[in-house]
């Protein structure tokens, strides 16, 4: 009976902790990006906004 209760508690607690894991992984990724930026690495977006044509001024 105790084993069944422990398994039940574990199954109920797991979904509640899943959000925390996502936040921890996101924070680690953000920190890694910040440290790479300090080292001089940059990210480039392949989508660029076109500059307005000279004749439209």
């Amino acid at each position: 009976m105790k084993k069944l209760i422990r398994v039940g508690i574990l199954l109920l607690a797991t979904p509640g902790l899943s959000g925390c894991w996502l936040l921890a992984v996101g924070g680690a990724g953000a920190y890694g990006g910040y440290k790479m930026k300090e080292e001089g690495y940059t990210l480039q977006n392949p989508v660029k906004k076109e500059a307005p044509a000279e004749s439209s001024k």
Side-chain angles (χ1 to χ4, degrees):
M1 186 67 177
K2 288 182 181 181
K3 186 176 182 181
L4 183 62
I5 292 173
R6 288 181 188 162
V7 170
I9 290 172
L10 181 64
L11 289 175
L12 291 174
T14 302
L17 294 175
S18 64
C20 295
W21 286 109
L22 292 175
L23 287 175
V25 169
Y31 179 73
Y34 176 77
K35 294 307 274 182
M36 286 180 68
K37 182 79 171 175
E38 282 184 348
E39 296 292 323
Y41 292 98
T42 59
L43 294 174
Q44 295 180 352
N45 190 348
V47 179
K48 294 183 180 179
K49 185 176 180 180
E50 292 183 15
E54 293 290 327
S55 61
S56 66
K57 286 185 178 179

